[in-house]
Amino acid sequence: MTTSPASVLGVPQPAWAGEDVAMLYDMATKFLEAEIAPRYEEFEKAEIFDRESWKKAGENGLLCASIPEEYGGSGGTYAHESAIIEAISHVGVDGFGIALHNSIVAPYILHYGSEEQKKKWLPRMATGELIGAIAMTEPGAGSDLQGVKTRAEKDGNHYRINGSKTFITNGQLANLIVVVTKTDPARGAKGTSLIVVETDEVDGFRRGRNLDKVGLKSNDTSELFFDDVRVPTSNLLGTEEGQGFVQLMQQLPQERLQIGGTAIAAIEKALAITIDYVKERRAFGKAVIDFQNTQFKLAELKTEATVGRVFYNDCVARHVAGGLDPSTASMAKYWLSDLQGKVMDECVQLHGGYGFMNEYPIARMWRDARVQRIYGGTNEIMKLLIARGL
Ligand SMILES: Cc1cc2nc3c(=O)[nH]c(=O)nc-3n(C[C@H](O)[C@H](O)[C@H](O)COP(=O)(O)OP(=O)(O)OC[C@H]3O[C@@H](n4cnc5c(N)ncnc54)[C@H](O)[C@@H]3O)c2cc1C
């Protein structure tokens, strides 16, 4: 019998994981196992998913789970998004970029969009017709988002957008991009605005390379170029210009929590497959699990993972109740992604040489884990944010 990632830790189900959340987790798991896992190797090689998978995810209720039903979503909360995030990592299809679409891009439109914008974009995001991306990072501005140079100048009832972005998740597939721009460069953070670009409707938008990454191969990550891209002023998110920085600061805690959710679910998967492996693999006449070093290592990892799971569950409970502060969300992102790196490394070690072979899932999981400490704000930036509140 194989060990189940969902129950490897034995932490009691939190109150937020009620019946409908559990049902969604089961449904997502079944869908991902049946439709995505068999083709995952193909997507890893192609370094991109196909649109068909997004559409199928939409048909199966995996897109916009926390968006109200009136806008085409399923009317859930972040707890429902968490069920999907966890199913993705438990099944082992981490490169499927729907979590960013669901719990980062769609919420910008839900929270800051006008009624007209919500009706225009969210239902099509829920079906997978529109694939979302958020374009903050530029070649010269990553951690320091105030350094964004992409300019949006008013030109009658349009904005003209000029600039370039890099490292954008879903960048090759996305046809709805929330772009971080400067509408008034002289005002620094207060001159920052979020503008939606529907790529099929504009001229001057160009995608650069699908970047060659170390891990998360099946997730397209791209450069984007904006050369005099004209979008209606009604594509601005928020009632006036200059609100972009505040909007980012309000939404980034959910992005950070989501990275923490991915981390704890990947940790559970890694522990489950490693426990199975060391029970099977034999050396010096006994199973690898019979060595005290193996037992102690796995005991340590399981303990830390349990601490991490309880912390993550508490963060989700607070977030669903509307009370997760940015500092605690930063702790979840930094600590859980650090732990993910440590667990993956130890689990590769316990697999011996097979842990370095791509045909063993732990090898891919080890590669995929590395970026978790970098994107969504580096772990150093998380510590700065936590330190600010001391
Ligand atoms: C696979 C992948 C997907 C991504 N997806 C997206 C996306 O969808 N959208 C998007 O906008 N961006 C995305 N990013 C970009 C990501 O968010 C940035 O790479 C990240 O914020 C770091 O910025 P940077 O790469 O410019 O590093 P830099 O800011 O140049 O940092 C370099 C080093 O300096 C450290 N550092 C910087 N400032 C400080 C400081 N004040 N104190 C201490 N140390 C500091 C950093 O921690 C880091 O170790 C993605 C990146 C990757 C790799």
Side-chain angles (χ1 to χ4, degrees):
M1 214 180 82
T2 53
T3 307
S4 142
S7 55
V8 69
L9 297 180
V11 174
Q13 285 295 309
W16 55 260
E19 203 178 322
D20 54 334
V21 172
M23 267 170 56
L24 180 59
Y25 173 85
D26 287 342
M27 205 185 73
T29 302
K30 283 196 186 101
F31 167 75
L32 295 167
E33 279 171 347
E35 297 286 345
I36 305 297
R39 297 189 59 200
Y40 195 58
E41 206 43 51
E42 178 195 325
F43 300 141
E44 285 276 289
K45 288 216 167 75
E47 304 194 352
I48 193 163
F49 265 70
D50 61 358
R51 287 187 171 275
E52 197 50 35
S53 302
W54 280 80
K55 295 237 166 84
K56 282 188 183 164
E59 285 160 18
N60 283 273
L62 268 66
L63 299 182
C64 296
S66 59
I67 297 298
E69 287 173 11
E70 59 186 305
Y71 305 119
S74 309
T77 67
Y78 176 78
H80 298 83
E81 300 295 0
S82 188
I84 295 170
I85 291 162
E86 295 181 39
I88 288 173
S89 289
H90 286 168
V91 173
V93 292
D94 301 82
F96 196 13
I98 61 174
L100 178 120
H101 169 97
N102 286 338
S103 43
I104 299 170
V105 184
Y108 277 109
I109 294 167
L110 179 68
H111 293 127
Y112 307 114
S114 63
E115 195 55 29
E116 197 188 335
Q117 289 173 331
K118 289 190 250 195
K119 289 206 167 111
K120 184 173 178 201
W121 292 317
L122 290 173
R124 288 191 286 150
M125 289 186 80
T127 59
E129 178 191 333
L130 289 178
I131 295 179
I134 169 101
M136 298 181 256
T137 307
E138 299 182 357
S143 301
D144 182 10
L145 273 181
Q146 297 201 26
V148 159
K149 294 248 177 325
T150 297
R151 181 83 168 92
E153 275 175 284
K154 234 187 196 151
D155 179 7
N157 56 358
H158 280 74
Y159 285 111
R160 265 190 300 121
I161 304 177
N162 281 288
S164 62
K165 299 285 179 181
T166 194
F167 299 152
I168 306 307
T169 299
N170 300 337
Q172 292 289 318
L173 285 173
N175 44 5
L176 180 140
I177 305 179
V178 176
V179 186
V180 179
T181 67
K182 282 277 168 66
T183 37
D184 187 352
R187 296 191 71 214
K190 291 196 173 125
T192 305
S193 301
L194 305 187
I195 297 178
V196 175
V197 174
E198 249 196 273
T199 62
D200 299 336
E201 300 205 334
V202 296
D203 293 322
F205 169 75
R206 195 159 50 83
R207 301 172 205 271
R209 292 173 296 154
N210 186 8
L211 298 165
D212 179 12
K213 305 190 296 301
V214 169
L216 283 181
K217 300 294 276 183
S218 53
N219 187 244
D220 52 310
T221 306
S222 190
E223 301 168 319
L224 305 176
F225 300 100
F226 301 84
D227 300 316
D228 262 337
V229 170
R230 276 169 62 85
V231 296
T233 47
S234 58
N235 281 23
L236 175 77
L237 287 181
T239 50
E240 56 185 3
E241 291 176 3
Q243 298 175 335
F245 220 78
V246 174
Q247 293 165 341
L248 287 169
M249 292 308 117
Q250 285 171 347
Q251 294 307 310
L252 283 172
Q254 177 152 310
E255 175 169 6
R256 286 160 188 163
L257 186 59
Q258 184 220 296
I259 294 171
T262 296
I264 193 62
I267 288 168
E268 288 163 343
K269 167 92 173 170
L271 286 178
I273 60 179
T274 304
I275 290 167
D276 288 344
Y277 183 81
V278 295
K279 284 180 179 169
E280 285 286 321
R281 178 75 179 164
R282 295 183 72 78
F284 296 95
K286 51 185 175 181
V288 170
I289 197 163
D290 292 330
F291 297 115
Q292 194 183 49
N293 177 67
T294 308
Q295 295 168 8
F296 279 15
K297 280 284 177 226
L298 286 170
E300 287 164 17
L301 298 180
K302 183 169 177 176
T303 305
E304 285 177 88
T306 301
V307 172
R309 172 47 93 172
V310 172
F311 177 48
Y312 175 73
N313 285 352
D314 182 61
C315 287
V316 177
R318 288 202 234 174
H319 188 49
V320 171
L324 181 67
D325 60 288
S327 169
T328 308
S330 300
M331 291 179 201
K333 193 270 172 182
Y334 128 64
W335 197 80
L336 289 165
S337 63
D338 264 12
L339 182 62
Q340 182 185 2
K342 177 182 170 179
V343 170
M344 295 308 144
D345 201 65
E346 295 283 12
C347 288
V348 165
Q349 192 68 17
L350 288 170
H351 276 72
Y354 295 95
F356 203 62
M357 297 299 132
N358 279 325
E359 65 190 279
Y360 282 76
I362 196 65
R364 181 189 56 70
M365 293 173 71
W366 175 70
R367 286 191 274 109
D368 290 353
R370 188 62 186 88
V371 75
Q372 288 259 100
R373 286 183 266 165
I374 297 171
Y375 60 21
T378 66
N379 284 7
E380 291 72 34
I381 296 298
M382 295 306 103
K383 289 176 198 174
L384 279 180
L385 296 173
I386 298 161
R388 250 179 230 163
L390 297 178

